[in-house]
PDB file of all heavy atoms in Angstrom:
ATOM      1  N   VAL A 387     112.382 119.561  89.897  1.00 88.00           N
ATOM      2  CA  VAL A 387     113.803 119.444  89.594  1.00 88.00           C
ATOM      3  C   VAL A 387     114.457 118.470  90.676  1.00 88.00           C
ATOM      4  O   VAL A 387     114.156 118.499  91.835  1.00 88.00           O
ATOM      5  CB  VAL A 387     114.524 120.739  89.614  1.00 88.00           C
ATOM      6  CG1 VAL A 387     116.077 120.534  89.378  1.00 88.00           C
ATOM      7  CG2 VAL A 387     113.953 121.699  88.585  1.00 88.00           C
ATOM      8  N   THR A 388     115.264 117.526  90.217  1.00 88.00           N
ATOM      9  CA  THR A 388     116.047 116.639  91.025  1.00 88.00           C
ATOM     10  C   THR A 388     117.502 116.893  90.937  1.00 88.00           C
ATOM     11  O   THR A 388     118.137 116.971  89.836  1.00 88.00           O
ATOM     12  CB  THR A 388     115.670 115.255  90.736  1.00 88.00           C
ATOM     13  OG1 THR A 388     114.284 114.984  90.769  1.00 88.00           O
ATOM     14  CG2 THR A 388     116.413 114.205  91.594  1.00 88.00           C
ATOM     15  N   LEU A 389     118.148 117.028  92.127  1.00 87.00           N
ATOM     16  CA  LEU A 389     119.530 117.246  92.073  1.00 87.00           C
ATOM     17  C   LEU A 389     120.354 115.946  92.104  1.00 87.00           C
ATOM     18  O   LEU A 389     119.818 114.896  92.529  1.00 87.00           O
ATOM     19  CB  LEU A 389     120.014 118.077  93.352  1.00 87.00           C
ATOM     20  CG  LEU A 389     119.497 119.401  93.508  1.00 87.00           C
ATOM     21  CD1 LEU A 389     119.807 120.023  94.809  1.00 87.00           C
ATOM     22  CD2 LEU A 389     119.857 120.332  92.340  1.00 87.00           C
ATOM     23  N   THR A 396     126.319 123.054  97.289  1.00 91.00           N
ATOM     24  CA  THR A 396     126.562 124.400  97.463  1.00 91.00           C
ATOM     25  C   THR A 396     125.282 125.131  97.802  1.00 91.00           C
ATOM     26  O   THR A 396     124.286 125.060  97.066  1.00 91.00           O
ATOM     27  CB  THR A 396     127.217 125.029  96.166  1.00 91.00           C
ATOM     28  OG1 THR A 396     128.407 124.361  95.865  1.00 91.00           O
ATOM     29  CG2 THR A 396     127.440 126.458  96.407  1.00 91.00           C
ATOM     30  N   ALA A 398     123.493 128.899  98.556  1.00 93.00           N
ATOM     31  CA  ALA A 398     123.623 130.242  98.318  1.00 93.00           C
ATOM     32  C   ALA A 398     122.410 131.087  98.652  1.00 93.00           C
ATOM     33  O   ALA A 398     121.306 130.686  98.300  1.00 93.00           O
ATOM     34  CB  ALA A 398     124.112 130.538  96.825  1.00 93.00           C
ATOM     35  N   THR A 459     116.498 134.796  96.584  1.00 93.00           N
ATOM     36  CA  THR A 459     116.445 133.351  96.352  1.00 93.00           C
ATOM     37  C   THR A 459     117.490 132.636  97.235  1.00 93.00           C
ATOM     38  O   THR A 459     118.393 133.094  97.709  1.00 93.00           O
ATOM     39  CB  THR A 459     116.821 133.034  94.834  1.00 93.00           C
ATOM     40  OG1 THR A 459     118.187 133.600  94.584  1.00 93.00           O
ATOM     41  CG2 THR A 459     115.890 133.667  93.828  1.00 93.00           C
ATOM     42  N   VAL A 460     117.075 131.364  97.530  1.00 93.00           N
ATOM     43  CA  VAL A 460     117.874 130.398  98.224  1.00 93.00           C
ATOM     44  C   VAL A 460     118.178 129.223  97.263  1.00 93.00           C
ATOM     45  O   VAL A 460     117.131 128.657  96.752  1.00 93.00           O
ATOM     46  CB  VAL A 460     117.309 129.920  99.567  1.00 93.00           C
ATOM     47  CG1 VAL A 460     118.170 128.859 100.207  1.00 93.00           C
ATOM     48  CG2 VAL A 460     116.926 131.072 100.444  1.00 93.00           C
ATOM     49  N   THR A 461     119.347 128.961  96.966  1.00 92.00           N
ATOM     50  CA  THR A 461     119.634 127.943  95.903  1.00 92.00           C
ATOM     51  C   THR A 461     120.582 126.801  96.551  1.00 92.00           C
ATOM     52  O   THR A 461     121.325 127.032  97.339  1.00 92.00           O
ATOM     53  CB  THR A 461     120.332 128.502  94.695  1.00 92.00           C
ATOM     54  OG1 THR A 461     121.594 129.072  95.072  1.00 92.00           O
ATOM     55  CG2 THR A 461     119.528 129.632  94.100  1.00 92.00           C
ATOM     56  N   LEU A 462     120.359 125.643  95.952  1.00 92.00           N
ATOM     57  CA  LEU A 462     121.202 124.531  96.224  1.00 92.00           C
ATOM     58  C   LEU A 462     121.827 124.037  94.888  1.00 92.00           C
ATOM     59  O   LEU A 462     121.022 123.771  93.918  1.00 92.00           O
ATOM     60  CB  LEU A 462     120.413 123.329  96.853  1.00 92.00           C
ATOM     61  CG  LEU A 462     120.041 123.502  98.293  1.00 92.00           C
ATOM     62  CD1 LEU A 462     119.097 122.390  98.760  1.00 92.00           C
ATOM     63  CD2 LEU A 462     121.369 123.483  99.102  1.00 92.00           C
ATOM     64  N   ASP A 463     123.084 124.091  94.745  1.00 90.00           N
ATOM     65  CA  ASP A 463     123.749 123.791  93.491  1.00 90.00           C
ATOM     66  C   ASP A 463     123.245 124.629  92.299  1.00 90.00           C
ATOM     67  O   ASP A 463     123.128 124.127  91.247  1.00 90.00           O
ATOM     68  CB  ASP A 463     123.624 122.216  93.151  1.00 90.00           C
ATOM     69  CG  ASP A 463     124.497 121.416  94.111  1.00 90.00           C
ATOM     70  OD1 ASP A 463     125.400 121.898  94.725  1.00 90.00           O
ATOM     71  OD2 ASP A 463     124.233 120.213  94.172  1.00 90.00           O
ATOM     72  N   GLY A 464     122.916 125.886  92.673  1.00 89.00           N
ATOM     73  CA  GLY A 464     122.451 126.829  91.628  1.00 89.00           C
ATOM     74  C   GLY A 464     120.977 126.648  91.344  1.00 89.00           C
ATOM     75  O   GLY A 464     120.499 127.409  90.474  1.00 89.00           O
ATOM     76  N   VAL A 465     120.191 125.810  91.947  1.00 92.00           N
ATOM     77  CA  VAL A 465     118.786 125.652  91.660  1.00 92.00           C
ATOM     78  C   VAL A 465     117.960 126.225  92.813  1.00 92.00           C
ATOM     79  O   VAL A 465     118.226 125.854  94.023  1.00 92.00           O
ATOM     80  CB  VAL A 465     118.410 124.160  91.469  1.00 92.00           C
ATOM     81  CG1 VAL A 465     116.995 123.931  91.198  1.00 92.00           C
ATOM     82  CG2 VAL A 465     119.271 123.543  90.307  1.00 92.00           C
ATOM     83  N   ASP A 466     116.994 127.030  92.454  1.00 92.00           N
ATOM     84  CA  ASP A 466     116.143 127.546  93.530  1.00 92.00           C
ATOM     85  C   ASP A 466     115.445 126.462  94.280  1.00 92.00           C
ATOM     86  O   ASP A 466     114.830 125.516  93.613  1.00 92.00           O
ATOM     87  CB  ASP A 466     115.095 128.482  92.831  1.00 92.00           C
ATOM     88  CG  ASP A 466     114.248 129.375  93.833  1.00 92.00           C
ATOM     89  OD1 ASP A 466     113.991 128.818  94.952  1.00 92.00           O
ATOM     90  OD2 ASP A 466     113.961 130.508  93.564  1.00 92.00           O
ATOM     91  N   VAL A 467     115.422 126.515  95.619  1.00 91.00           N
ATOM     92  CA  VAL A 467     114.900 125.386  96.371  1.00 91.00           C
ATOM     93  C   VAL A 467     113.411 125.177  96.089  1.00 91.00           C
ATOM     94  O   VAL A 467     112.887 124.046  96.311  1.00 91.00           O
ATOM     95  CB  VAL A 467     115.222 125.525  97.850  1.00 91.00           C
ATOM     96  CG1 VAL A 467     116.720 125.466  98.174  1.00 91.00           C
ATOM     97  CG2 VAL A 467     114.596 126.909  98.377  1.00 91.00           C
ATOM     98  N   ARG A 468     112.744 126.198  95.659  1.00 91.00           N
ATOM     99  CA  ARG A 468     111.319 126.105  95.351  1.00 91.00           C
ATOM    100  C   ARG A 468     111.097 125.276  94.107  1.00 91.00           C
ATOM    101  O   ARG A 468     109.928 124.883  93.831  1.00 91.00           O
ATOM    102  CB  ARG A 468     110.749 127.511  95.255  1.00 91.00           C
ATOM    103  CG  ARG A 468     110.556 128.326  96.568  1.00 91.00           C
ATOM    104  CD  ARG A 468     110.251 129.741  96.324  1.00 91.00           C
ATOM    105  NE  ARG A 468     111.362 130.519  95.786  1.00 91.00           N
ATOM    106  CZ  ARG A 468     111.421 131.824  95.883  1.00 91.00           C
ATOM    107  NH1 ARG A 468     110.543 132.517  96.443  1.00 91.00           N
ATOM    108  NH2 ARG A 468     112.461 132.458  95.322  1.00 91.00           N
ATOM    109  N   ARG A 469     112.085 125.103  93.254  1.00 91.00           N
ATOM    110  CA  ARG A 469     111.948 124.262  92.113  1.00 91.00           C
ATOM    111  C   ARG A 469     112.293 122.723  92.345  1.00 91.00           C
ATOM    112  O   ARG A 469     112.021 121.954  91.421  1.00 91.00           O
ATOM    113  CB  ARG A 469     112.864 124.812  90.932  1.00 91.00           C
ATOM    114  CG  ARG A 469     112.543 126.203  90.523  1.00 91.00           C
ATOM    115  CD  ARG A 469     113.511 126.662  89.549  1.00 91.00           C
ATOM    116  NE  ARG A 469     113.594 125.749  88.350  1.00 91.00           N
ATOM    117  CZ  ARG A 469     114.657 125.625  87.575  1.00 91.00           C
ATOM    118  NH1 ARG A 469     115.738 126.413  87.864  1.00 91.00           N
ATOM    119  NH2 ARG A 469     114.553 124.829  86.604  1.00 91.00           N
ATOM    120  N   LEU A 470     112.787 122.456  93.461  1.00 90.00           N
ATOM    121  CA  LEU A 470     113.077 121.060  93.810  1.00 90.00           C
ATOM    122  C   LEU A 470     111.910 120.208  94.205  1.00 90.00           C
ATOM    123  O   LEU A 470     110.940 120.686  94.833  1.00 90.00           O
ATOM    124  CB  LEU A 470     114.199 121.007  94.890  1.00 90.00           C
ATOM    125  CG  LEU A 470     115.485 121.718  94.618  1.00 90.00           C
ATOM    126  CD1 LEU A 470     116.385 121.670  95.880  1.00 90.00           C
ATOM    127  CD2 LEU A 470     116.176 121.114  93.439  1.00 90.00           C
ATOM    128  N   THR A 471     112.026 118.909  93.945  1.00 90.00           N
ATOM    129  CA  THR A 471     111.048 117.965  94.466  1.00 90.00           C
ATOM    130  C   THR A 471     111.193 117.895  95.922  1.00 90.00           C
ATOM    131  O   THR A 471     112.301 118.117  96.415  1.00 90.00           O
ATOM    132  CB  THR A 471     111.071 116.593  93.791  1.00 90.00           C
ATOM    133  OG1 THR A 471     112.386 116.042  94.120  1.00 90.00           O
ATOM    134  CG2 THR A 471     111.073 116.750  92.332  1.00 90.00           C
TER     135      THR A 471
END
Side-chain angles (χ1 to χ4, degrees):
V387 178
T388 301
L389 296 177
T396 298
T459 58
V460 179
T461 61
L462 285 171
D463 289 344
V465 179
D466 192 321
V467 293
R468 289 170 287 200
R469 298 176 55 204
L470 298 177
T471 64

